[in-house]
Structure formats: C-alpha cells, structure tokens
C-alpha cells in the first residue's frame, strides 16, 4: 500500500509501464517511454511476465471504466513487446496477452472486438522460439466463429465484424496447424465451428453482389468482401490438411450443405468442392471422393433432387481428381453410382422409398428420378473419359458385369399403376456404356472387347426392344471407331467419290486379325439378325451402316471383306425373298443399306470391275427404282414402293458377278460364291433340338390317335425323341461340370487347389507305376516259380529262344 501511494517506491517495470500512457489518451502511446520499456524487457527477460500481468491489470480496469483510449494504447504496447521479445519467458507473457485479447473479444463493443482480433492476428504471425505445452485456443475458435455469423443492424459494422472473425480463425489455423504441441485444430469439435463459419460467409456472396455499389465505392467494397477472405482462409486451411485430417475437414461441409438445403440449386455446392479439390494435395483427392460416395449412400432415401445435386458435385470433383490421383476409388465410385442407379429405378417403379405402392405425386417423382438417372449416367461418362485406356477397359467390364440380363422366363416388372416397364433396368444400365465407350481408343481390340464382355453385350443385341438394340449398336460403333471416322457415316448415302469424307484408314494389325478370326462370325450373325427386325427405324439402319463401314476400315483384311460382302448380299436376299413378312419400309431400307455399303467397300477395295458393277446397279436404280437407294428411303418422308415382289435382276447386286470380278483380283472367289448362313450358337442348337422333339412328339401323338396300327412307328420316334432329349441333358450336364471346375479354380483357396492337384498327381503316378510294372515285368517261366530269399516267390526268366511254344503257333 505504501508503494502504491509513493510512486518512487514502486517497482521499475510498473513505473516504465505507467510512463507509456499519456495524460490525454488522444495523444497516443509515448514512444520514447515505450522504447525504454522495450529495452528493459529485453535486458531483464525475467520481468516480462510481470510486465504482461500489470498491463493486463490496467487494460481490464480501463475496459471496466470505459476508457477505451487507454485500452488501445495498452494493446499497442503489447503488440510491440510481442514483436520485440522472443526469449524463453515469453510463454508467461503470452498468457497475459491472450487473457487481454479474450477480454476485448468478450466486449459488446464492435471496435474492441476488432481491436482484439487485430492483435491476435499479429500474434499469430509471430514464430515463437519456445514451444507451449498448455496453451488452449478453444475460446478463440468459438468467439471468432460467432463473429463470423454476426447479424449487426449496421451493414458496414456487420461486415467488419465478420471479416474480423474470419481473420481470427485464419490466425488460429496458422498458429496451431503445424505445431504438434498445440491443441489439435483438426478435431471435430473445432472443425464443426471453423468450416461452417467460412461457408456461411461464402454462401452470402450473392447477397453482397446483389446490392450493386456505385462505381466509386466498388473498389473499397471489393477489399472488404468477407466472401473472398473466407475463400482464402478455406483454401489455406485445406492446403495445410494432412492425410488423416481430410475427413474431419470435409464432413462439416457435407453437413452444412444438408442443413441449409444447398444441394438442390447445386451452384454453391459445386463451387465449394471446386475450392476443396483445387486446394488439397493431389494425392488426397480420393479421400474427398470417398466422402462424397459415402454421403450419397447415406442419402439414398432422400429426394431425387438432393441425390442429383450430390452426383453432379461428385462429377465435378471426380474430373478434377482424375488429373491427380484417384487411387483405389475408381471401381468403388462406379459401383456406388450403379447401385444408386438401380435404387432409383426401383423407386421409379414402386413410387416409394420403402417399396410400398404410393399413388401420390407420380408424375413429379418419376420426373425427378429420371433427372437423377441422367445425372448418374453423365457422371459415369465424364469421369470415365478422363481415365487412361487400361482403367477404362476395367470400368467397361465392370459396368457390363452389373447389367441385369433378363432371361426368357424373367417376370415382367410393373410400375405403380400397372404400367409395364420390362426392360427399364437394362436400358438404364446400358446407357452409361455409351459415354464411357465414346472416344475409347485401344490399339488391341482383344483387350477392348474381350470375350466375356462381347458375349454379354451381344446377348442383348437381339432383344425385341428397339431402344436396347440401338444402344448395343451404338456401343459397338464407339468401341470399333478408333480414328474418329464415326461421324462421317452418320448419313447413309451412295457417294460417287468417298475421298471427300477424308477417312483415316490404317492397315489391320495382327491383333485385330486374331480378334476377327475369333469373333467375326458372332458379329456377322448379330448384324444379319438385327437387319431382319421389323421394329427397326432409320436410326437402327444408320447404326448398322456405321458398324459395317467401321469394321471395313478398322478391322478388315481380304477375308473380312469377302465375308462382309456375303453378309450384305444375304441381307439383300432377305429383302427380296421376304420370308419374315417385313413391311415395305424395312425392305426398301435393306436394299438401300446394301447399296450404300457396297458402294463404300467397292471404292475401298479399288477393284475397277467391282466398282463398275456397283455403279451400274446404282445408276439403274436411280432411273427406275429410286426407292431402293438411301437418298429416297432415309429421309423425313421416304418415297417407297408397295410392289417389291417383282424386282428385276438389273436392280440387284449379283453374287456371281461380284465373285467373278473380285476373284480376278486375288480375292477368294470360292468363298464369295457361298451364300452367307448365320452361325448357330449353343442356345440356338438347344432351342432347336427341344423344338424338334416337341414337334415330333406332337405329330406322333396325333398319328397314334388316328392310326393305332402305327404303334411301331410311334415307339421308334419316341426313342428318337428320348435320344435327343438325353443328348441335350448330357450337354447341359457337361456344361455345368465345366462351369463348376472353372468356378472352383477361380474362388477356392490355394491350399485346397494344391491338395486336389496333389491327390490327382499321386493317383496318376500310381496308375503309371502299375502300367510300367505290367509292361516291364519279364514273362513267366514255363517251369513255374522258385522260392527266393525270405520265402517270397520269384519269377524265373528264361531266354525267348529257349521257350517252348505250342505247335499251332505260326510265325
């Protein structure tokens, strides 16, 4: 008490602190006395904590007395001491400093809050020489986050408070993010406050822009924009995130978008994740993708608009991630998207998320689900287009393995009100293959179209649904087109000079030749049968023409050219004979398709006689039968002829003539003379045998009723039917046995396979030993056996010339 009354007896540090405060606070800090205080603190660092405590005591007293001028002077002095002193005792001084900053932030005065924030930011930029083991920033995170959500009545003051809050959060991040001894700022309790506060200010950038300031105020407004500052702070935060902290930083973003219903407009959500993807380290991109995929699964029962927004955000993020490192999430992403696509199809069919039938909001729900399905397909295509060739091949095989192939006796799915949707899942699962296969370039067609993929794809090519057949044709065209020639065949025509198309033609490689030897008959069969479909429209014929043309350019050698010509001539025969009772449009379309392709292939082969024959037939058709050319058929209003039964031979491409002219140029004329017959598959043989058995049994049953005397014939035919059925059953059993063996070697553990093979090897060895023993054992002695050592009988061998043979033995 005595020292307090008598200034000369007070400690020196208190006198130095008191001297920095002027009588009038408007005069500001006394600089000369501040220099003395700084010199004293540097000379006696053990007094620094006491200086800080005394300054804190004065500041709290001045705040209570509303002497804000002295408060500003005290904070300025603290800032200068912090900048000047980096000794080991600064930790105790920092505690006093943070206590004063917290006191200012607790004040209701905006100016004091801003003052405290500015001091904290200066402190955050200081690199301390000594670590701190007990410092906590929980209060500052909470207070700065609260300032970011300020709702002050005055717009200018509200903007300043929000910007101060953002700067404070930025200071906390800079101070703690790289110091392992500090409190972990990446904990969910901190991230759940920091990230939403930044997003809240980013979200309101539209409001600030909508007020359209005057041109003179515009530069100032731009500098004071909280949205830009929040974006910089968010980028800095994410840029400092390590591998294990990405999840804690992304989860609050997803929760914020959910709570504020920001998935439906999608603009803000896409902007946020673009900031995230461009801010984090490239090797962490797959973690963000995984978070989005998990969030999409968690919202699988949300509205279709919400799921569509998440998928579109995922699309943008995945394209950015593909430039870096997607890692193991490639197939996981496609698996999740295909699963969501299947769920959406089920929702559209049932009208409810739980499978119950609901009659309400049918049109709106189906429309929204359709939009979601289109978003999924677009996302699959956009992401797949960024992948390298080998990954795209895996993705294509993966998608095809998920395609639900309906069987012959598959129950028809019905909609909510009885509307039939038998092939909706198949349509929606085939649709992603079109954008994935577009632009797919692979030097080896064997890897682009492996057997298991091609078999599943072509099994859907002959279904009754015209849209599915068109999908399959477009997918095949996309795969085969490796030089960008597809768009040049979008219009079917008979050009007199195909050089105007500027086709890119390369010599068929050895791998492509092997592919065609293995799969050509399979492709020809499906092209031939697709041409015979009655429900074909112009798009189908355009796709068939593109497929034939691209095979001729990309995969053709002399043998393939011969087979394609035979195939097209067989299609011409289909239109001429008309065993399928096709309409007039389909028959004219087949004639026009054959003319267009033979015109193309004749100019590609450059055989003059061949080109002349094709040209003569086309000119004859132009004069007398224009309805057999693509220029009159494949138009908006096709000009057809109802009388196509009496087509004269001059209007047709003759197989004998083509065989003659091409045979003289080195092509296989014997093969050209053979009419094309589609190759039967195992399913065709099986169905054919069953149909034969059923037909014969039916005929026998009728005949036995009408004529009992033919009982022997009935018995014979019944036995024949039994043999056919038994042979079919044997084939089915053999096919099932092979499937089980393959499945066992694919899925069984290695130890089990090794034991099985070892057992078989030992059995084989024992059989071989028996054979060798029988073969090598000497012949028995005519004199019988003798007893060897140990009482065991032993055969006695004698030379052949000493053996006695029977008299009837002839040499």
């Amino acid at each position: 008490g005595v020292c307090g009354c008598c200034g000369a007896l007070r400690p020196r540090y208190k006198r130095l602190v008191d001297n920095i405060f002027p009588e009038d606070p408007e005069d500001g800090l006394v600089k000369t006395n501040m220099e003395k205080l700084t010199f004293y603190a540097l000379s006696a660092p053990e007094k620094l904590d006491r200086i800080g405590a005394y300054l804190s005591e004065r500041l709290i007293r001045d705040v209570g007395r509303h002497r804000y001028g002295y408060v500003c002077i005290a904070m300025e002095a603290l800032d200068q001491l912090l900048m000047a002193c980096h000794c080991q005792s600064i930790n105790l001084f920092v505690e006093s400093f943070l206590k004063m900053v917290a006191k200012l932030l607790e004040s209701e005065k905006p100016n004091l809050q801003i003052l405290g924030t500015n001091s904290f930011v200066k402190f955050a930029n200081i690199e301390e020489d000594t670590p701190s083991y007990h410092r906590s920033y929980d209060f500052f995170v909470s207070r700065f986050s609260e300032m970011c959500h300020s709702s002050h009545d005055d717009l200018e003051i509200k903007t300043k408070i929000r910007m101060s809050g953002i700067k404070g959060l930025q200071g906390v991040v800079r101070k703690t993010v790289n110091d392992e001894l500090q409190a972990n700022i990446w904990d969910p309790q901190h991230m759940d406050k920091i990230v939403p506060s930044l997003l809240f200010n980013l979200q309101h950038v539209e409001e600030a822009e909508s007020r359209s300031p005057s041109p003179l105020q515009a530069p100032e407004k731009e500098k004071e924009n909280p949205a830009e500052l929040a974006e910089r702070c968010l980028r800095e935060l994410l840029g400092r995130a390590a591998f294990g902290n990405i999840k804690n930083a992304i989860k609050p973003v997803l929760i914020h978008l959910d709570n504020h219903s920001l998935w439906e407009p999608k603009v803000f959500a896409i902007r946020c994740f673009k900031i995230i993807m461009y801010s984090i380290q490239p090797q962490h991109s797959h973690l963000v993708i995984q978070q989005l995929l998990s969030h999409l699964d968690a919202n699988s029962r949300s509205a279709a608009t919400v799921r569509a927004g998440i998928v579109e955000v995922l699309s943008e993020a995945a394209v950015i991630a593909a430039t870096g490192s997607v890692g193991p999430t490639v197939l996981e992403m496609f698996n999740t998207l295909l699963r969501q696509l299947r769920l959406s199809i089920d929702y559209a069919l049932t009208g409810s998320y739980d499978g119950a039938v609901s009659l309400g909001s049918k049109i709106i729900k189906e429309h929204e689900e359709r939009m979601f399905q289109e978003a999924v397909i677009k996302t699959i295509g956009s992401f797949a287009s960024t992948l390298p060739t080998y990954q795209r091949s895996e993705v294509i095989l993966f998608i095809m393995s998920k395609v639900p192939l309906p069987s012959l006796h598959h129950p028809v799915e019905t909609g909510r009100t009885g509307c039939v949707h038998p092939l909706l899942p198949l349509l929606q699962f085939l649709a992603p293959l079109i954008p994935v296969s577009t632009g797919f370039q692979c030097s080896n067609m064997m890897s682009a179209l492996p057997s298991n993929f091609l078999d599943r794809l072509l099994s859907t090519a002959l279904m009754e649904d015209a849209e599915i057949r068109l999908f399959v044709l477009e997918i095949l065209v996309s795969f085969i087109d490796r030089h960008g020639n597809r768009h040049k065949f979008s219009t079917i025509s008979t050009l007199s000079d195909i050089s105007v198309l500027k086709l890119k033609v390369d010599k068929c490689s050895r791998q492509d030749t092997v592919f065609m030897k293995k799969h050509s008959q399979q492709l020809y069969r499906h092209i031939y049968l697709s041409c015979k479909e009655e429900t074909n429209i112009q798009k189908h014929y355009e796709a068939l023409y593109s497929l034939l043309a691209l095979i001729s350019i990309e995969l053709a050698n002399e043998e393939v050219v011969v087979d394609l010509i035979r195939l097209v001539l067989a299609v011409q025969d289909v239109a001429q004979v008309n065993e399928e009772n096709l309409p007039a449009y389909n028959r004219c379309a087949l004639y026009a398709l054959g003319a267009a392709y033979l015109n193309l292939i004749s100019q590609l082969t450059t055989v003059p006689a061949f080109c002349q024959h094709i040209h003569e037939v086309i000119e004859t058709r132009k004069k007398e039968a224009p309805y057999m050319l693509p220029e009159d058929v494949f138009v908006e209003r096709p000009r057809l002829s109802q009388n196509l039964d009496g087509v004269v031979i001059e209007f047709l491409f003759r197989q004998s003539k083509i065989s003659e002219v091409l045979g003289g140029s080195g092509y296989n004329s014997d093969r050209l003379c053979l009419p094309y017959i589609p190759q039967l598959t195992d399913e065709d043989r099986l169905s054919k045998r069953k149909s034969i058995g059923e037909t014969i049994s039916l005929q026998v049953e009728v005949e036995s009723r009408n004529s009992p005397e033919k009982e022997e014939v009935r018995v014979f035919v019944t036995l024949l039917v039994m043999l056919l059925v038994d042979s079919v059953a044997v084939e089915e059993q053999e096919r099932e046995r092979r499937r089980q063996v393959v499945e066992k070697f694919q899925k069984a553990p290695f130890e089990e396979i090794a034991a099985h093979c070892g057992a078989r090897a030992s059995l084989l060895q024992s059989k071989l030993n028996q054979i060798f023993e029988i073969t090598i054992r000497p012949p028995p002695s005519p004199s019988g056996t003798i007893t060897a050592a140990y009482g065991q009988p032993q055969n006695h061998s004698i030379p052949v010339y000493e053996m006695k043979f029977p008299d009837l033995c002839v040499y």
Side-chain angles (χ1 to χ4, degrees):
V2 175
C3 293
C5 297
C6 184
L9 298 177
R10 301 177 67 194
R12 185 182 179 189
Y13 72 89
K14 287 189 177 183
R15 285 185 279 119
L16 291 174
V17 170
D18 291 335
N19 291 336
I20 66 174
F21 292 93
E23 294 182 1
D24 186 1
E26 294 183 359
D27 293 341
L29 182 67
V30 181
K31 294 183 179 181
T32 55
N33 293 334
M34 186 63 211
E35 293 176 358
K36 294 179 182 179
L37 178 62
T38 304
F39 180 77
Y40 177 76
L42 292 173
S43 303
E46 69 276 2
K47 301 292 184 180
L48 189 59
D49 57 332
R50 298 185 182 183
I51 295 173
Y54 184 60
L55 274 172
S56 175
E57 179 184 343
R58 286 204 55 155
L59 183 139
I60 294 173
R61 183 174 67 239
D62 292 335
V63 170
R65 296 177 180 177
H66 304 288
R67 300 167 65 179
Y68 301 124
Y70 289 118
V71 172
C72 295
I73 293 174
M75 292 306 301
E76 185 180 354
L78 283 169
D79 293 342
Q80 292 190 21
L81 287 174
L82 277 174
M83 298 296 294
C85 302
H86 295 280
C87 61
Q88 296 181 355
S89 303
I90 196 172
N91 282 330
L92 297 177
F93 177 73
V94 170
E95 294 300 324
S96 301
F97 168 78
L98 294 178
K99 188 186 299 183
M100 287 182 279
V101 172
K103 184 66 177 178
L104 295 180
L105 295 177
E106 289 174 351
S107 174
E108 296 181 357
K109 298 291 183 180
N111 292 335
L112 294 184
Q113 297 175 13
I114 295 172
L115 178 64
T117 303
N118 293 336
S119 295
F120 184 84
V121 171
K122 293 177 182 178
F123 161 71
N125 292 327
I126 297 175
E127 295 183 4
E128 301 181 46
D129 297 336
T130 56
S132 175
Y133 299 92
H134 58 281
R135 195 179 301 164
S136 175
Y137 295 95
D138 295 355
F139 167 79
F140 296 99
V141 172
S142 301
R143 184 55 185 157
F144 289 139
S145 300
E146 184 180 349
M147 291 171 63
C148 290
H149 292 82
S150 175
S151 58
H152 199 278
D153 296 334
D154 191 336
L155 177 61
E156 186 175 355
I157 295 177
K158 180 176 70 174
T159 302
K160 289 182 178 180
I161 294 176
R162 288 187 178 182
M163 291 189 67
S164 296
I166 297 171
K167 291 178 181 178
L169 291 177
Q170 191 176 24
V172 172
V173 171
R174 289 178 179 176
K175 198 66 179 175
T176 61
V177 72
N178 291 326
D179 193 349
E180 297 180 356
L181 299 175
Q182 302 285 1
N184 191 0
I185 201 67
W186 300 106
D187 288 343
Q189 59 179 349
H190 298 312
M191 285 291 105
D192 291 344
K193 298 175 183 177
I194 295 175
V195 175
S197 300
L198 299 177
L199 295 179
F200 176 78
N201 286 275
L202 267 177
Q203 180 183 345
H204 289 78
V205 64
E206 292 84 3
E207 297 181 4
E209 291 176 353
S210 63
R211 291 186 173 85
S212 62
S214 62
L216 296 177
Q217 295 177 343
E220 184 179 357
K221 291 289 182 181
E222 289 178 2
K223 294 179 182 179
E224 298 177 355
N225 187 358
E228 295 180 0
L229 184 60
E231 181 178 341
R232 289 199 300 270
C233 182
L234 182 62
R235 290 182 183 275
E236 182 178 352
L237 174 69
L238 296 170
R240 295 171 181 266
F243 182 86
N245 303 324
I246 293 293
K247 182 178 180 181
N248 292 339
I250 301 302
K251 188 175 181 180
V253 178
L254 301 173
I255 296 175
H256 181 83
L257 296 175
D258 287 340
N259 294 338
H260 294 269
S261 302
L262 296 173
W263 292 111
E264 296 181 22
K266 297 177 290 190
V267 177
F268 179 72
I270 291 175
R271 182 188 176 200
C272 287
F273 275 89
K274 281 187 175 181
I275 293 173
I276 292 171
M277 297 304 295
Y278 283 118
S279 300
I280 62 175
Q281 300 178 23
Q283 61 268 27
H284 299 161
S285 300
H286 67 280
L287 298 177
V288 181
I289 303 298
Q290 288 177 344
Q291 288 288 97
L292 281 169
L293 292 174
S294 301
H295 196 68
L296 180 60
D297 283 336
N299 286 270
S300 59
R301 293 180 180 268
S302 300
T305 52
V306 174
R307 287 180 280 127
I310 299 175
V311 168
E312 293 205 15
V313 171
L314 183 62
S315 174
E316 297 287 342
V319 171
I320 298 173
T323 60
S325 173
V326 183
T329 59
V330 175
L331 293 183
E332 179 187 353
M333 177 178 175
F334 287 102
N335 188 28
T336 302
L337 290 175
L338 292 174
R339 182 170 61 250
Q340 292 297 324
L341 183 60
R342 178 69 200 193
L343 288 175
S344 177
I345 294 170
D346 294 340
Y347 297 157
L349 293 175
T350 61
S352 175
Y353 295 130
D354 55 2
V357 177
S358 175
L359 298 178
S361 66
K362 172 186 174 184
I363 298 177
I364 297 177
K365 188 67 65 67
E366 288 185 353
H367 175 67
E368 291 177 353
E369 293 298 337
R370 182 67 179 176
M371 291 178 57
F372 171 72
Q373 294 164 17
E374 291 176 355
V376 171
I377 294 171
K378 177 185 174 183
T379 301
I380 290 176
S382 60
F383 179 51
S385 63
T386 62
L387 297 177
T389 301
Y390 72 94
Q391 280 189 329
R392 291 181 73 176
S393 301
E394 294 177 359
V395 167
I396 289 168
L397 293 176
F398 181 77
I399 294 176
M400 197 63 203
S401 67
K402 298 292 183 179
V403 174
L405 297 180
S407 61
L408 295 175
H409 305 287
H410 192 275
V412 176
E413 300 180 3
T414 57
R416 288 169 281 182
T417 59
C419 299
V420 179
H421 300 272
L423 301 171
L424 182 60
L426 183 58
L427 280 172
Q428 296 300 333
F429 271 84
L430 284 176
L433 285 174
I434 295 178
V436 172
S437 58
T438 302
F440 181 75
Q441 295 183 355
C442 184
S443 58
N444 187 359
M445 195 57 66
M446 292 290 290
S447 59
L449 291 173
S451 299
N452 54 350
F453 171 74
L454 191 61
D455 292 341
R456 289 180 64 87
L457 184 63
L458 293 180
S459 64
T460 61
L462 301 178
M463 300 188 69
E464 295 181 359
D465 189 86
E467 190 174 357
I468 291 180
R469 296 201 310 272
L470 184 60
F471 271 153
V472 174
L473 290 173
E474 290 179 351
I475 292 169
L476 286 173
V477 167
S478 298
F479 275 111
I480 297 177
D481 181 26
R482 294 176 293 183
H483 294 87
N485 293 317
R486 176 183 182 179
H487 66 280
K488 301 173 184 178
F489 302 113
S490 58
T491 302
I492 306 178
S493 61
T494 54
L495 293 174
S496 58
D497 185 8
I498 64 171
S499 61
V500 298
L501 297 177
K502 298 180 180 179
L503 299 175
K504 298 178 181 178
V505 182
D506 282 344
K507 186 178 180 181
C508 182
S509 64
R510 180 177 176 274
Q511 293 84 356
D512 294 341
T513 302
V514 173
F515 172 81
M516 290 304 293
K517 284 184 178 180
K518 186 176 182 180
H519 299 292
S520 59
Q521 296 302 321
Q522 193 177 8
L523 287 172
Y524 301 156
R525 174 180 180 272
H526 284 81
I527 293 174
Y528 177 77
L529 296 180
S530 296
C531 291
K532 297 169 65 174
E533 292 292 338
E534 186 177 349
T535 56
N536 285 344
I537 59 176
Q538 181 176 341
K539 289 184 178 180
H540 291 84
Y541 296 112
E542 290 174 350
L544 286 168
Y545 175 68
S546 298
L547 183 58
L548 289 168
L550 290 172
I551 292 176
S552 304
I553 293 176
E554 299 282 352
L555 306 173
N557 51 25
E558 291 186 1
E559 183 180 350
V560 173
V561 170
V562 169
D563 288 340
L564 288 173
I565 294 174
R566 292 172 56 223
L567 172 63
V568 173
L569 293 175
V571 170
Q572 177 182 257
D573 293 340
V574 169
Q576 182 182 7
V577 179
N578 197 23
E579 293 180 352
E580 308 292 333
N581 294 323
L582 297 175
Y585 174 78
N586 296 67
R587 297 177 68 184
C588 291
L590 292 180
Y591 281 127
L593 176 64
Y597 175 73
L598 291 175
N599 175 69
L600 173 69
I601 196 66
S602 65
Q603 298 186 53
L604 289 175
T605 55
T606 63
V607 178
F610 184 32
C611 294
Q612 182 180 358
H613 172 66
I614 302 300
H615 178 71
E616 289 175 355
V617 176
I618 291 176
E619 290 298 323
T620 305
R621 288 186 180 184
K622 285 182 179 180
K623 295 177 182 178
E624 303 181 25
Y627 51 84
M628 301 175 68
L629 292 176
E631 287 78 8
D632 279 27
V633 177
F634 301 117
V635 291
E636 185 176 355
R637 293 182 179 180
R639 293 182 287 275
L640 307 177
S641 173
Q642 299 301 326
N643 185 17
L644 295 172
D645 296 332
V647 178
V648 297
I649 194 171
E650 287 78 9
F651 298 165
L652 300 177
F653 302 100
R654 297 188 296 273
Q655 188 163 6
S656 59
K657 179 66 174 178
I658 295 175
S659 174
E660 178 185 349
V661 297
L662 288 181
S665 298
Y667 289 87
N668 190 345
S669 59
D670 295 337
R671 189 176 181 86
L672 273 169
C673 293
L674 297 175
Y676 172 76
I677 300 175
Q679 186 181 30
L680 293 178
T681 61
D682 293 338
E683 296 179 357
D684 296 332
R685 296 190 185 98
L686 184 61
S687 60
K688 186 176 181 180
R689 290 178 179 179
K690 289 184 177 179
S691 62
I692 291 174
E694 293 172 357
T695 304
I696 294 176
S697 62
L698 181 61
Q699 292 175 353
V700 169
E701 183 179 357
V702 173
E703 291 181 357
S704 63
R705 290 177 182 176
N706 297 334
S707 53
E709 65 276 5
K710 296 183 180 179
E711 184 67 21
E712 295 181 0
V713 177
R714 186 188 69 78
V715 173
F716 172 74
V717 176
T718 303
L719 291 174
L720 178 61
V721 172
M722 291 176 62
L723 288 174
L724 288 174
V725 174
D726 289 343
S727 63
V728 171
V730 170
E731 286 188 5
E732 290 181 347
Q733 292 177 0
E734 181 66 19
R735 190 180 297 109
E736 179 65 20
R737 187 188 66 80
R738 291 178 181 177
R739 188 191 64 79
Q740 291 177 356
V741 170
V742 172
E743 184 177 359
K744 179 177 181 180
F745 276 88
Q746 287 179 345
K747 298 182 179 180
F750 175 76
E751 293 78 7
E752 181 180 345
I753 297 175
H756 177 70
C757 295
R760 294 185 61 183
S762 60
L763 179 62
L764 175 63
Q765 186 63 39
S766 64
K767 296 294 183 183
L768 289 175
N769 292 337
Q770 294 178 9
I771 295 173
F772 292 152
E773 184 179 356
I774 294 173
T775 305
I776 302 174
R777 180 187 300 167
S781 173
S783 60
T785 59
I786 61 175
T787 302
Y790 307 103
Q792 295 179 357
Q794 183 178 10
N795 292 325
H796 206 46
S797 177
I798 59 177
V800 176
Y801 56 84
E802 295 182 2
M803 294 178 63
K804 295 181 179 180
F805 295 94
D807 297 336
L808 297 178
C809 183
V810 181
Y811 290 93

